[in-house]
């Protein structure tokens, strides 16, 4: 008798196991660095380091890095550090696409937000250069922040979506609740935009010597921003309650509860910074919470549909 031929060892299982470990880690890293660069960008502005590297793409004429005895002092290191982090964000975005291509069967629903992040990083680099070359125009500074919020949304969507199988996603709440959730997100976008107007009208423009302003009365736009926040909170509570009442699982209700928790903390920090004269450390926390609010909103909207129920059925 002849022995049966040996079958070739399968590489599918080890590859799938490796992907199950590394894919979520890489996508989480992609999200974390997107949040981090928003915070470091805030530090650049709040420490008056926006022109620490007074030109672009070079830091100073003739050098891409800070040089000794540069008149911008320590501000040059803060601004250059933020520029350097842009490269890290770009590498993380590229790794995310490679990971999806390698371990997630090139899923379109993951590749699209992945390429949005990668393309957005390149766009942000150019927009950051324009911001420097225009002397920190408050309009370009505001646009820089708002584009970052779009990239954080895309990175968060990529991370949360990858935790579910591919396929059509069924509603987990009443259709009206889903629409209400989108309206709530729309008002949140208005709140963020008004927040940039408040910043552009206040003392933290980004340059220590010649701050730029939008020209609006800071007190007036601050209260307009607060009014928009009140509308957002009302819609948020309504969405949270409706999600709990109509959800086919507890997942949507928990996700909207998370949004509410971040909102409460953000509101406390916002009023604290307003009544304490906008200390830069408190403003940094406010910016971080604004970014985390975007992540929480993305998670909440994503929770309103799911493929997990279909696979379970």
């Amino acid at each position: 008798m002849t022995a049966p031929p040996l079958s070739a060892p399968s590489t599918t299982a080890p590859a799938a196991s490796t992907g199950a470990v590394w894919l979520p880690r890489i996508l989480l890293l992609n999200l974390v660095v997107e949040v981090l660069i928003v915070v470091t960008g805030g530090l650049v502005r709040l420490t008056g380091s926006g022109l620490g590297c007074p030109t672009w793409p070079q830091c100073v004429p003739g050098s891409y890095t800070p040089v000794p005895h540069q008149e911008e002092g320590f501000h040059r290191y803060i601004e250059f550090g933020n520029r350097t982090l842009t490269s890290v964000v770009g590498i993380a975005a590229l790794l995310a696409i490679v990971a999806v291509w390698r371990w997630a069967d090139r899923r379109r629903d993951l590749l699209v937000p992945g390429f949005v992040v990668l393309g957005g990083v390149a766009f942000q680099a150019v927009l950051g250069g324009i911001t420097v070359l225009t002397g920190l125009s408050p309009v370009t500074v505001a646009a820089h922040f708002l584009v970052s919020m779009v990239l954080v949304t895309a990175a968060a969507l990529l991370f949360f979506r990858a935790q579910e199988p591919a396929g059509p996603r069924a509603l987990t709440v009443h259709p009206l609740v889903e629409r209400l959730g989108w309206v709530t997100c729309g008002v949140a976008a208005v709140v963020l935009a008004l927040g940039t107007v408040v910043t552009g009208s206040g003392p933290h423009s980004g340059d220590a010597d010649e701050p730029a302003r939008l020209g609006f009365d800071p007190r007036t736009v601050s209260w307009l921003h607060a009014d928009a926040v009140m509308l957002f909170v009302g819609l948020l509570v309504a969405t949270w309650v409706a999600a709990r009442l109509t959800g086919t699982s507890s997942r949507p209700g928990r996700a909207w509860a998370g949004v509410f928790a971040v909102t409460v903390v953000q509101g406390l920090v916002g009023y604290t910074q307003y009544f304490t004269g906008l200390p830069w450390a408190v403003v940094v926390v406010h910016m971080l919470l604004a970014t985390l609010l975007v992540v929480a909103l993305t998670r909440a909207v994503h929770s309103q549909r799911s493929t997990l129920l279909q696979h379970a059925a």
Side-chain angles (χ1 to χ4, degrees), residues 120-245:
V121 171
F123 179 78
Q124 279 288 70
V126 175
L127 183 57
I130 294 173
T131 301
V132 171
L133 296 177
T134 56
L136 302 180
S137 164
V139 175
T140 56
V141 171
H144 204 39
F145 173 78
L146 293 176
V147 172
S148 289
M149 294 300 98
V150 174
L151 300 189
V152 169
T153 300
L157 176 62
L158 175 59
F159 174 69
F160 295 129
R161 185 68 184 91
Q163 297 178 33
E164 292 185 3
R169 308 182 70 239
L171 269 173
T172 58
V173 294
H174 191 279
L176 290 177
V177 179
E178 183 184 40
R179 295 172 193 169
L180 184 59
W182 282 112
V183 172
T184 303
C185 290
V187 174
V190 173
V191 169
L192 290 173
L194 287 173
T196 65
V197 175
V198 174
T199 298
S201 304
H204 298 301
S205 66
D207 181 57
D209 299 320
E210 298 179 3
R213 299 284 188 274
L214 284 174
F216 298 111
D217 175 55
R219 181 181 178 87
T220 300
V221 293
S222 293
W223 283 108
L224 181 60
H225 175 62
D227 290 341
V229 170
M230 295 299 179
L231 175 60
F232 168 72
V233 171
L235 289 169
L236 170 58
V237 171
T239 307
W240 176 20
V241 172
R244 289 197 60 182
L245 292 176

Side-chain angles (χ1 to χ4, degrees), residues 9-308:
S10 174
T11 58
T12 303
S17 176
T18 301
V21 172
W22 283 104
L23 179 62
R25 293 180 180 180
I26 292 173
L27 299 186
L28 179 60
L29 172 66
N30 184 44
L31 175 57
V32 169
V33 294
E34 283 293 341
V35 172
L36 181 61
I37 199 168
V38 174
V39 176
T40 60
L43 284 173
V44 170
R45 175 171 56 82
L46 294 167
T47 58
S49 304
L51 295 178
C53 286
T55 188
W56 186 88
Q58 296 179 325
C59 181
V60 292
S63 176
Y64 287 93
T65 60
V67 297
H69 311 300
Q70 189 176 326
E71 65 178 7
E72 286 78 17
F74 75 92
H75 296 295
R76 67 186 186 270
Y77 298 115
I78 298 176
E79 165 63 6
F80 182 72
N82 188 62
R83 291 189 182 189
T84 303
L85 186 59
T86 300
S87 301
V88 177
V89 173
I91 292 172
L94 183 60
L95 284 176
I97 292 176
V98 171
V100 170
W101 194 273
R102 174 72 174 81
W103 292 310
D105 298 324
R106 307 175 187 179
R107 284 172 51 181
R108 179 182 176 84
D109 59 334
L110 300 182
L111 286 175
V112 170
F115 277 110
V116 167
V117 175
L118 182 61
V121 171
F123 179 78
Q124 279 288 70
V126 175
L127 183 57
I130 294 173
T131 301
V132 171
L133 296 177
T134 56
L136 302 180
S137 164
V139 175
T140 56
V141 171
H144 204 39
F145 173 78
L146 293 176
V147 172
S148 289
M149 294 300 98
V150 174
L151 300 189
V152 169
T153 300
L157 176 62
L158 175 59
F159 174 69
F160 295 129
R161 185 68 184 91
Q163 297 178 33
E164 292 185 3
R169 308 182 70 239
L171 269 173
T172 58
V173 294
H174 191 279
L176 290 177
V177 179
E178 183 184 40
R179 295 172 193 169
L180 184 59
W182 282 112
V183 172
T184 303
C185 290
V187 174
V190 173
V191 169
L192 290 173
L194 287 173
T196 65
V197 175
V198 174
T199 298
S201 304
H204 298 301
S205 66
D207 181 57
D209 299 320
E210 298 179 3
R213 299 284 188 274
L214 284 174
F216 298 111
D217 175 55
R219 181 181 178 87
T220 300
V221 293
S222 293
W223 283 108
L224 181 60
H225 175 62
D227 290 341
V229 170
M230 295 299 179
L231 175 60
F232 168 72
V233 171
L235 289 169
L236 170 58
V237 171
T239 307
W240 176 20
V241 172
R244 289 197 60 182
L245 292 176
T246 69
T248 56
S249 71
S250 61
R251 183 175 171 226
R254 292 198 309 268
W256 285 107
V259 178
F260 182 76
V262 175
T263 301
V264 170
V265 178
Q266 176 72 315
L268 293 173
V269 172
Y271 278 108
T272 299
Q273 70 173 8
Y274 179 79
F275 289 113
T276 57
L278 300 175
W280 70 266
V282 180
V283 179
V284 167
V285 175
H286 195 58
M287 290 187 65
L288 173 61
L289 288 170
T291 310
L292 296 181
L293 178 62
V294 170
V295 175
L297 281 168
T298 305
R299 174 174 175 259
V301 171
H302 181 264
S303 73
Q304 296 181 145
R305 287 181 177 268
S306 178
T307 57
L308 296 177

